[in-house]
Amino acid sequence: MKIRRALSSDSSFVLGAARRLADFDPPAWRPPEDIVKGEVRTLQAFFAVPPPGSALLIAESEPGGHLGFVYLERLQDYFTLEWHGHVGMLVVAEEVEGKGIGSALMRAAEAWACEQGYRKLTLTVFEANRKARALYDHLGYAPETHRYVKVL
């Protein structure tokens, strides 16, 4: 397996794989199709004109088969105003889930953040996305805040 920067030719894989971002039980007020639409909108914008400080990394098998991707952004800390890296999306192809692809992509994300000079890498994960939370816990990430929602 190798991890490389995305090319325009990767867009069909990335946009198709984005459907996996709703493969858990999201809250009742957050329909899965809304999650996918929002993530696809962000990815389409990246392929049109990558936002400053962003990156999209692709994991592929040696023969060139797509295994997954991680979308990275530059965000500013609310409290300190320090710039840091942020994992906007992490997707592993269903057929290779549980084979270390997500961990490899996260290590690549951490390397990217270090190359940018960032002291931290953040991410947001839905409370009900237990598989993703288990991966992040295993890799040493810790919750910082909880976001509460009340539908009015």
Side-chain angles (χ1 to χ4, degrees):
M1 175 189 60
K2 71 177 182 177
I3 298 177
R4 59 168 175 80
R5 290 201 175 249
L7 306 170
S8 59
S9 58
D10 296 312
S11 65
S12 61
F13 162 72
V14 168
L15 296 173
R19 68 172 172 70
R20 298 219 61 222
L21 291 162
D23 280 357
F24 65 98
D25 292 323
W29 62 85
R30 185 73 68 189
E33 57 272 12
D34 286 357
I35 294 170
V36 173
K37 282 181 195 174
E39 303 291 35
V40 165
R41 183 174 52 247
T42 296
L43 292 165
Q44 287 171 328
F46 174 86
F47 281 109
V49 180
S54 65
L56 181 61
L57 305 178
I58 302 289
E60 66 181 3
S61 59
E62 289 304 326
H66 291 107
L67 303 173
F69 72 86
V70 61
Y71 175 67
L72 302 163
E73 305 169 280
R74 177 180 109 146
L75 295 183
Q76 196 169 27
D77 187 271
Y78 176 82
F79 301 106
T80 67
L81 302 180
E82 178 183 4
W83 289 103
H84 64 276
H86 181 79
V87 175
M89 292 172 233
L90 174 68
V91 175
V92 173
E94 189 171 11
E95 61 274 11
V96 293
E97 188 175 297
K99 304 221 184 285
I101 308 303
S103 293
L105 283 164
M106 287 300 294
R107 284 191 300 276
E110 292 168 5
W112 169 83
C114 288
E115 289 167 8
Q116 306 307 306
Y118 301 139
R119 292 185 323 113
K120 64 183 175 183
L121 183 63
T122 63
L123 57 89
T124 303
V125 62
F126 281 97
E127 181 73 23
N129 194 343
R130 289 177 185 81
K131 286 182 185 178
R133 289 178 46 218
L135 170 66
Y136 303 137
D137 288 343
H138 175 75
L139 294 174
Y141 289 79
E144 181 179 48
T145 63
H146 288 276
R147 178 178 170 173
Y148 284 79
V149 176
K150 180 178 180 179
V151 177
L152 304 176

